[in-house]
Amino acid sequence: MSSARRLRGLLAQGKLLQMPCCYDALSARLIEEAGFPLTFVSGFGAAAAKGLPDTGLMSFGEMRDTMCSVAEALEATPRKIPCIGDGDTGYGNSVNAKRTVAAYAQAGMAGIMIEDQVCRPTTPAVQARGECRSISGGPAASWCPHLMCISCVAPKRCGHTRDKAVVSFEEAVSRVRAAVDSAREHAASPDSAIVIVARTDARATHGMDEAVRRCVAFAEAGADVTFLEAPRSREEMKAYCDNVPGAKMANLLEGGLTPVSARGR
């Protein structure tokens, strides 16, 4: 049975699944040995393992190689637990997202997470020439500190940090739709397609209503799981769960923005 089929089987149970994050083959095997049903290759963790911050410094190739080693290690374990890989923004536009999904599926990942942060690294040369353009396409505002321009926006970053930027609603949905298309195109059957986890960081930039709106649209575009990053309270988490259909993911970490609740709650 493929890893994607195993993951879809877990999701079909409709139960709460605890999913510790790994960052390499060894940490993935330790999670499997500890008895957890699945794991997640964290971009934050993979970067930290190389001594780097989670600010978009890990390349597509480096992350793909990590996915390959983790998937190979888990396939050699007794339970062969499924693993979801952090695909960040898909490393570019919708075409890049399709390629990233295909590569993660080929590597053996059961799922891939695609997010709606802006994928444009800081470019000092563009700043020096005064060629900044706002995300809407016009000249950058006079107050722009080279953090919110289309040419020099700050790199994507961990979901529980500040100064994030997200793409437009339309581009976010297009990115998810491209990921879903790629998953289906490279699968022998629907139940063997890599699981698409669609994440939004809009809670931090546009508010809760826009974040929920995006998650609803992601589900309608075919995402198997939605992920509203960093709700600030149990009430916000409940609003997310009440208004968005399908399976959902939550990111809980010590010192993070989302309150950590006991399993029974």
PDB file of all heavy atoms in Angstrom, residues 63 69 80 97 243:
ATOM      1  N   MET A  63      15.218  20.606   0.026  1.00  0.00           N
ATOM      2  CA  MET A  63      14.031  20.042   0.667  1.00  0.00           C
ATOM      3  C   MET A  63      13.619  18.722   0.013  1.00  0.00           C
ATOM      4  O   MET A  63      13.242  17.771   0.693  1.00  0.00           O
ATOM      5  CB  MET A  63      12.881  21.044   0.625  1.00  0.00           C
ATOM      6  CG  MET A  63      13.067  22.228   1.558  1.00  0.00           C
ATOM      7  SD  MET A  63      13.202  21.759   3.307  1.00  0.00           S
ATOM      8  CE  MET A  63      11.507  21.216   3.632  1.00  0.00           C
ATOM      9  N   SER A  69      15.141  11.118   1.732  1.00  0.00           N
ATOM     10  CA  SER A  69      15.803  10.350   2.792  1.00  0.00           C
ATOM     11  C   SER A  69      14.821   9.968   3.892  1.00  0.00           C
ATOM     12  O   SER A  69      14.876   8.853   4.428  1.00  0.00           O
ATOM     13  CB  SER A  69      16.971  11.152   3.374  1.00  0.00           C
ATOM     14  OG  SER A  69      16.529  12.361   3.959  1.00  0.00           O
ATOM     15  N   LYS A  80       5.791   1.599   8.779  1.00  0.00           N
ATOM     16  CA  LYS A  80       5.776   2.421   7.556  1.00  0.00           C
ATOM     17  C   LYS A  80       4.784   3.596   7.676  1.00  0.00           C
ATOM     18  O   LYS A  80       3.902   3.784   6.835  1.00  0.00           O
ATOM     19  CB  LYS A  80       5.416   1.588   6.327  1.00  0.00           C
ATOM     20  CG  LYS A  80       6.340   0.404   6.077  1.00  0.00           C
ATOM     21  CD  LYS A  80       5.972  -0.295   4.793  1.00  0.00           C
ATOM     22  CE  LYS A  80       6.693  -1.590   4.569  1.00  0.00           C
ATOM     23  NZ  LYS A  80       8.103  -1.639   4.887  1.00  0.00           N
ATOM     24  N   ALA A  97       4.636  25.240  -8.212  1.00  0.00           N
ATOM     25  CA  ALA A  97       3.924  24.432  -7.219  1.00  0.00           C
ATOM     26  C   ALA A  97       3.596  23.047  -7.774  1.00  0.00           C
ATOM     27  O   ALA A  97       3.715  22.042  -7.059  1.00  0.00           O
ATOM     28  CB  ALA A  97       2.650  25.142  -6.780  1.00  0.00           C
ATOM     29  N   ASN A 243     -16.730  26.605  10.363  1.00  0.00           N
ATOM     30  CA  ASN A 243     -17.030  27.245   9.074  1.00  0.00           C
ATOM     31  C   ASN A 243     -16.300  26.657   7.874  1.00  0.00           C
ATOM     32  O   ASN A 243     -16.614  27.008   6.731  1.00  0.00           O
ATOM     33  CB  ASN A 243     -16.714  28.742   9.159  1.00  0.00           C
ATOM     34  CG  ASN A 243     -17.671  29.496  10.056  1.00  0.00           C
ATOM     35  OD1 ASN A 243     -18.801  29.776   9.681  1.00  0.00           O
ATOM     36  ND2 ASN A 243     -17.221  29.816  11.266  1.00  0.00           N
TER      37      ASN A 243
END
